[in-house]
Amino acid sequence: MAGRGRELLELAPDRFRIPDEDGLVEFFRQDLEASAGPDLLSLVAEVEGEIVGSLEAQLNPPMESARFQVLDYLGKPRVYVNHLRVDPPFRRRGVATALMQAVERWARKKGAGSITLDTYAKSPHSVPFYEAVGYERAWIVF
């Protein structure tokens, strides 16, 4: 986590910070235990026994108010990717692609009509990656 924080901090020091490390493992443990269930996907990628990446995604049910919404996808189950990370030495080796393919298979099995996620718009890694594997920018958040 600290490594990813440092990487983002270098990109935009006014937007990112290094997370507190004291209690971080317990925070993640409690978060995973609280949200565990059939609608949460938590994956790790291993290379020669070393964890080199992870992905977490959440299945969201159709919105009850979907008939009043203009966005069609809100009326269908949909998956939101909470995070995807790959350690820098293992980037461009298929790890992130494999994790995204796994979430896509899971989403299809769950009947999801879409997969969404967000990332830092100026990221030199994630934006080109998502576009290369077929994702399109759909929203701009200001």
Side-chain angles (χ1 to χ4, degrees):
M1 176 61 91
R4 178 70 176 143
R6 277 189 277 285
E7 185 179 7
L8 292 169
L9 189 62
E10 289 175 15
L11 284 175
D14 59 324
R15 297 194 181 268
F16 298 103
R17 60 181 286 280
I18 302 296
D20 293 340
E21 290 188 25
D22 185 38
L24 189 61
V25 171
E26 186 59 26
F27 165 78
F28 280 121
R29 181 176 289 117
Q30 289 175 356
D31 184 55
L32 283 171
E33 289 172 359
S35 57
D39 294 340
L40 181 74
L41 178 67
S42 294
L43 301 172
V44 295
E46 291 183 52
V47 174
E48 298 177 3
E50 179 182 351
I51 294 176
V52 300
S54 62
L55 179 143
E56 181 185 274
Q58 177 77 37
L59 178 69
N60 296 303
M63 285 185 70
E64 290 183 24
S65 64
R67 67 189 190 108
F68 303 113
Q69 305 292 332
V70 297
L71 298 172
D72 180 61
Y73 77 95
L74 296 176
K76 302 171 186 162
R78 59 205 184 283
V79 167
Y80 182 79
V81 176
N82 296 325
H83 89 260
L84 168 64
R85 74 154 194 87
V86 175
D87 292 345
F90 295 92
R91 291 182 184 155
R92 304 193 60 80
R93 293 174 56 183
V95 175
T97 300
L99 289 167
M100 287 304 294
Q101 289 171 342
V103 77
E104 290 166 0
R105 286 190 301 274
W106 181 74
R108 279 191 294 276
K109 285 181 187 175
K110 293 289 189 172
S114 64
I115 297 175
T116 58
L117 54 92
D118 60 70
T119 193
Y120 183 52
K122 295 179 182 177
S123 171
H125 306 290
S126 60
V127 173
F129 165 74
Y130 288 120
E131 290 176 339
V133 295
Y135 287 79
E136 298 176 357
R137 297 179 197 205
W139 313 107
I140 298 174
V141 178
F142 291 97

